[in-house]
């Protein structure tokens, strides 16, 4: 079994300081949370950025500032900007961070309800367009699938040549409108992807740690972070992203699964070496 790659989604676009005061907004807060997560064992930082008042933005210059601040503190951590942004943003707004010298980004692989009247739109043509832009820019896509139909769509687009290997899936489970994160959901999804593909789990809310444990046991990878879940345990707010990463590291230790460094994570996923000093 490969070493465990831990991703930390430090902020997201939906959770706010009203939910948990440790959700970072400013450049300084983002860099501090990324640093703490990396020190605790995260190889990948999944990144959304915000204005100082907490409003989510995909502004390229804001990403540039935050990425610079994270790189200055976190050696060669893999920074994975979101191209999902926030519900309602259009394609080119969402793709702005891919105009920066980055090595990885998310690629959302299907449309779904996102609570209330919100719909997170990712049409087939959106997915082809995002995949094409990332390929041209040498950016490794993390294939975010919120339900089984999204996995099937990825596999069809892969066979048709719109999405390319190596395939790395993220099963994002527990969004209101997507698939739940019960054990049977996890097994159904992991058995649906090709044997040589890699995958990680992103459990939303109460699914975060049960899914992490399943993935640790079965050779998958794990994402945690305040974007996905604000609690360390039922009723106890996490005092930052560090505690969430530490909890997964402890879990991995109990199961005898070592933690991957960023360099090891690149190798496991089949990513190219990345010049971390590239001018932003
Ligand atoms: N904020 C969600 C609408 C991603 O980062 O690519 C989308 C999201 C997925 O968080
Ligand atoms: Zn995200």
């Amino acid at each position: 079994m490969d070493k465990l790659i831990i991703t930390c989604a430090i902020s997201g676009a939906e959770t706010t300081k009203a939910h948990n005061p440790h959700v970072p907004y400013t450049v300084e807060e983002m860099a501090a949370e990324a640093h703490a997560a990396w020190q605790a064992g995260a190889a990948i930082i999944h990144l959304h950025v915000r204005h100082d008042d907490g409003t989510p933005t995909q502004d390229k210059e804001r990403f540039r500032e935050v990425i610079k601040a994270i790189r200055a503190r976190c050696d060669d951590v893999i920074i994975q900007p979101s191209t999902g942004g926030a519900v309602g943003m259009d394609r080119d707004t969402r793709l702005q961070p891919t105009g920066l010298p980055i090595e990885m980004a998310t690629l959302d692989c299907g449309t779904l309800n996102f609570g209330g009247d919100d719909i997170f739109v990712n049409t087939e043509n959106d997915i082809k367009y995002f995949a094409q832009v990332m390929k041209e820019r040498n950016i490794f896509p993390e294939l975010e699938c919120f339900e089984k139909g999204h996995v099937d769509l990825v596999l069809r687009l892969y066979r048709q040549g719109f999405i390319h290997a190596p395939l790395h899936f993220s099963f994002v489970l527990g969004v209101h409108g997507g698939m739940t994160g019960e054990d049977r959901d996890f097994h159904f999804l992991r058995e649906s992807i090709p044997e040589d593909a890699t995958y990680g789990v992103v459990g939303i809310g109460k699914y975060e740690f049960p899914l992490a444990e399943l993935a640790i046991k079965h050779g998958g990878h794990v994402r945690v972070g305040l974007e996905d879940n604000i609690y360390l345990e039922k009723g106890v707010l996490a005092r930052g992203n560090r505690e969430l990463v530490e909890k997964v590291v402890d879990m991995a230790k109990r199961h005898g699964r070592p933690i991957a460094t960023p360099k090891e994570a690149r190798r496991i996923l089949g990513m190219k070496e990345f010049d971390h000093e590239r001018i932003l």
Side-chain angles (χ1 to χ4, degrees):
M1 212 179 271
D2 283 322
K3 288 188 179 180
L4 177 70
I5 303 171
I6 301 176
T7 298
C8 187
I10 58 174
S11 172
E14 287 83 24
T15 49
T16 68
K17 287 186 190 293
H19 300 112
N20 184 319
H22 297 283
V23 174
Y25 293 168
T26 67
V27 175
E28 174 53 34
E29 287 170 349
M30 293 271 178
E33 281 299 303
H35 182 247
W38 168 67
Q39 277 197 319
I44 302 176
I45 301 297
H46 170 70
L47 189 65
H48 291 251
V49 298
R50 317 251 192 152
H51 295 295
D52 284 354
D53 68 1
T55 314
T57 174
Q58 288 293 100
D59 179 62
K60 184 175 169 182
E61 295 312 312
R62 186 66 167 190
F63 266 102
R64 191 193 306 272
E65 252 189 294
V66 175
I67 292 171
K68 255 189 191 170
I70 295 175
R71 280 191 190 169
R73 292 195 189 187
C74 302
D75 193 22
D76 71 338
V77 76
I78 299 168
I79 301 175
Q80 178 202 84
S82 167
T83 67
V87 167
M89 291 177 173
D90 66 33
R91 283 181 184 179
D92 290 316
T93 300
R94 286 167 52 179
L95 277 166
Q96 285 182 82
T98 65
L100 295 168
I102 57 168
E103 58 186 316
M104 191 182 207
T106 56
L107 200 177
D108 293 284
C109 296
T111 295
L112 72 156
N113 283 330
F114 225 74
D117 289 326
D118 286 346
I119 302 174
F120 183 33
V121 176
N122 298 285
T123 66
E124 181 171 334
N125 287 343
D126 289 336
I127 299 164
K128 289 178 179 170
Y129 181 62
F130 279 49
Q132 174 70 21
V133 168
M134 288 189 210
K135 182 155 176 58
E136 283 166 7
R137 298 177 180 177
N138 276 319
I139 297 172
F140 186 95
E142 186 228 42
L143 304 164
E144 293 210 354
C145 295
F146 296 76
E147 48 111 322
K148 169 67 161 52
H150 297 178
V151 174
D152 295 336
L153 181 55
V154 168
L155 296 177
R156 186 158 59 78
L157 294 179
Y158 170 61
R159 287 193 296 273
Q160 292 173 346
F162 294 104
I163 288 178
H164 307 271
L167 300 178
H168 177 57
F169 292 86
S170 260
F171 303 138
V172 186
L173 303 180
V175 173
H176 296 167
M179 205 160 157
T180 57
E182 303 299 331
D183 291 22
R184 63 181 177 180
D185 302 317
F186 167 80
H187 291 296
F188 183 36
L189 292 173
R190 86 180 170 90
E191 286 162 9
S192 301
I193 62 173
E195 275 197 1
D196 57 356
T198 53
Y199 72 91
V201 293
V202 178
I204 305 300
K206 67 175 184 179
Y207 293 115
E208 183 159 89
F209 293 112
L211 276 174
E213 186 142 34
L214 281 171
I216 288 168
K217 284 202 272 193
H218 291 278
H221 304 285
V222 172
R223 177 173 117 181
V224 291
L226 294 173
E227 171 170 348
D228 306 325
N229 164 48
I230 55 174
Y231 294 104
L232 188 59
E233 54 191 75
K234 198 171 167 42
V236 180
L237 286 176
R239 288 171 303 176
N241 285 284
R242 175 195 289 273
E243 288 189 340
L244 300 171
V245 175
E246 283 171 348
K247 187 160 170 170
V248 173
V249 170
D250 285 347
M251 218 179 246
K253 266 192 197 136
R254 283 202 303 281
H255 289 282
R257 185 124 179 241
I259 308 299
T261 63
K263 194 177 169 64
E264 290 166 335
R266 287 186 186 91
R267 190 188 45 72
I268 292 165
L269 299 181
M271 294 170 65
K272 297 194 179 80
E273 281 300 313
F274 185 70
D275 176 9
H276 201 69
E277 306 293 319
R278 276 175 71 179
I279 305 294
L280 270 161

